[in-house]
């Protein structure tokens, strides 16, 4: 299953810190972690002693692959280790995620502060990893003892338990934002240039004239304030030229009512002349099928 927003024509971002799931319990959570990793260009998935082994088979495999939503390449390339020590042996720096203070006197950071440091280091060639604990209990103290620093999330203290994939997603987002400078994936297309003040003021005069004729500016003593409020409201919209034309036309129709006959543009359709006639093409006005020549 591939979700909206997936574009196979674009290159995949890869690299970043290794995502190390320590003793994960549910196949579906492993799949969801892979999806979160793919969202933010992380490509090194490591599994430490999955509860029921890996790769999964049967229904559990199907659940993991469905939850990955197209990121199955990460599941297929996942490395399996028997211990956290083995999974972190080749890394230069390890972050351990936890929602609780463990009394280990390590540096504590949020993903927003830690991932820019991680992005700079990995782009410079260092190998970083992030440890995530089992869904029910989180990392134990021996796992955290292997880490260089602690990652924690600023969440509601009365409900600080994050889903495993949510935690991976938050770290991945902050890493990718730091790596790419927070650049938006797309920008709004400018369809009409901003309206000039002359155009806007002319529109104001038109609107105010129609409102005055309808008795809107009452009492007379409040006319200046009402006009200023009305103009300020439109100025805050940063009207484009198309906005002004559309509003103008809408108000005309409200005041004058519907047109008696719809106005349509005449289309001139060019047709090929018979072979026996000259080179000049015959033109059709599109009205009643009568041909015209220029």
């Amino acid at each position: 299953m591939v979700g909206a927003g997936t574009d196979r024509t674009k290159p995949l971002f890869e690299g970043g810190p290794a995502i190390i799931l320590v003793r994960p319990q549910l196949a579906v959570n492993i799949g969801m972690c892979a999806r979160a990793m793919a969202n933010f260009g992380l490509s090194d998935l490591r599994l430490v002693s999955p509860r029921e082994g890996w790769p999964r088979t049967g229904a559990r495999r199907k659940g993991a692959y469905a939850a990955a939503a197209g990121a199955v390449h990460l599941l297929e390339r996942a490395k399996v280790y028997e211990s956290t020590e083995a999974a972190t042996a080749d890394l230069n720096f390890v972050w351990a995620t936890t929602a609780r203070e463990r009394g280990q006197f390590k540096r504590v950071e949020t993903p927003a502060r830690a991932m820019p440091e991680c992005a700079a280091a990995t782009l410079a060639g260092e190998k970083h990893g992030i440890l995530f604990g089992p869904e029910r209990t989180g990392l134990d103290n021996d796992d955290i003892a292997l880490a260089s620093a602690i990652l924690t999330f600023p969440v509601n203290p009365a409900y600080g338990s994050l889903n495993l994939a949510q935690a991976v997603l938050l770290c991945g987002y902050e890493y990718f934002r730091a790596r790419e400078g927070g650049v938006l994936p797309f920008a709004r297309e400018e369809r009409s240039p901003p309206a000039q003040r002359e155009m806007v003021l002319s529109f104001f005069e038109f609107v105010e004239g129609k409102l005055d004729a309808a008795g809107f500016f009452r009492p007379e003593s409040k006319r200046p304030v009402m006009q200023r409020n009305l103009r300020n409201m439109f100025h805050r919209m940063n009207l484009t030229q198309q906005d002004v034309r559309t509003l103008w036309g809408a108000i005309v129709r409200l005041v004058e009512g519907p047109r008696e006959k719809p106005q349509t543009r005449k289309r001139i359709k060019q047709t090929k002349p018979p072979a026996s006639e000259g080179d000049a093409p015959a033109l059709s006005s599109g009205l009643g099928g009568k041909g015209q020549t220029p």
Side-chain angles (χ1 to χ4, degrees), residues 19 47 59 100-101 125 127 174 176 195 228 231 251 254 258 264 290:
I19 300 300
L47 308 176
R100 304 186 304 277
E101 197 280 320
K127 298 186 75 172
E174 293 293 353
F176 193 77
R228 282 195 296 271
R231 293 186 176 208
I251 293 169
L254 286 172
T264 57
K290 295 181 179 179

Side-chain angles (χ1 to χ4, degrees), residues 27-109:
V28 67
N29 279 344
I30 297 174
M32 291 171 68
C33 288
R35 178 178 185 175
M37 291 174 63
N39 284 147
F40 299 109
L42 305 176
S43 55
D44 188 355
L45 175 60
R46 305 184 183 192
L47 308 176
V48 177
S49 298
R51 185 171 67 178
E52 298 176 2
W54 191 267
R56 299 285 172 84
T57 58
R60 292 188 179 90
R61 182 182 186 277
K62 184 177 180 180
Y65 276 56
V72 295
H73 61 288
L74 297 180
L75 297 180
E76 292 170 352
R77 294 193 328 221
K79 301 174 187 145
V80 183
Y81 300 85
E82 292 184 0
S83 67
T84 308
E85 290 91 338
T88 59
D90 65 326
L91 302 179
N92 305 112
F93 196 99
V94 177
W95 302 90
T97 60
T98 179
R100 304 186 304 277
E101 197 280 320
R102 302 300 186 96
Q104 297 202 25
F105 302 101
K106 295 181 185 290
R107 179 161 65 104
V108 179
E109 300 287 3

Side-chain angles (χ1 to χ4, degrees), residues 209-289:
K210 298 299 182 183
L211 290 173
D212 194 23
F216 177 75
F217 296 112
R218 298 289 186 274
E220 185 63 29
S221 60
K222 291 189 176 181
R223 174 189 290 268
V225 174
M226 296 172 75
Q227 286 179 319
R228 282 195 296 271
N229 288 343
L230 189 65
R231 293 186 176 208
N232 284 332
M233 180 177 67
F234 282 112
H235 279 313
R236 286 193 296 270
M237 296 180 187
N238 294 322
L239 296 167
T240 66
Q241 293 180 18
Q242 184 58 54
D243 291 337
V244 173
R245 287 192 289 267
T246 300
L247 287 169
W248 200 312
I251 293 169
V252 167
R253 294 276 63 82
L254 286 172
V255 173
E256 299 180 1
R259 295 188 180 98
E260 292 183 4
K261 293 183 179 180
Q263 294 181 359
T264 57
R265 294 181 180 179
K266 295 180 179 179
R267 292 185 296 176
I268 307 297
K269 185 172 72 174
Q270 187 172 350
T271 58
K272 292 183 179 180
S276 59
E277 295 183 5
D279 294 333
L283 300 178
S284 172
S285 66
L287 299 176

Side-chain angles (χ1 to χ4, degrees), residues 185-202:
F186 59 88
R188 183 185 67 179
E189 182 181 349
E190 191 63 61
R191 297 185 180 276
S192 176
Q196 305 93 329
R197 276 296 175 265
E198 179 183 20
M199 185 180 193
V200 175
L201 291 175
S202 179

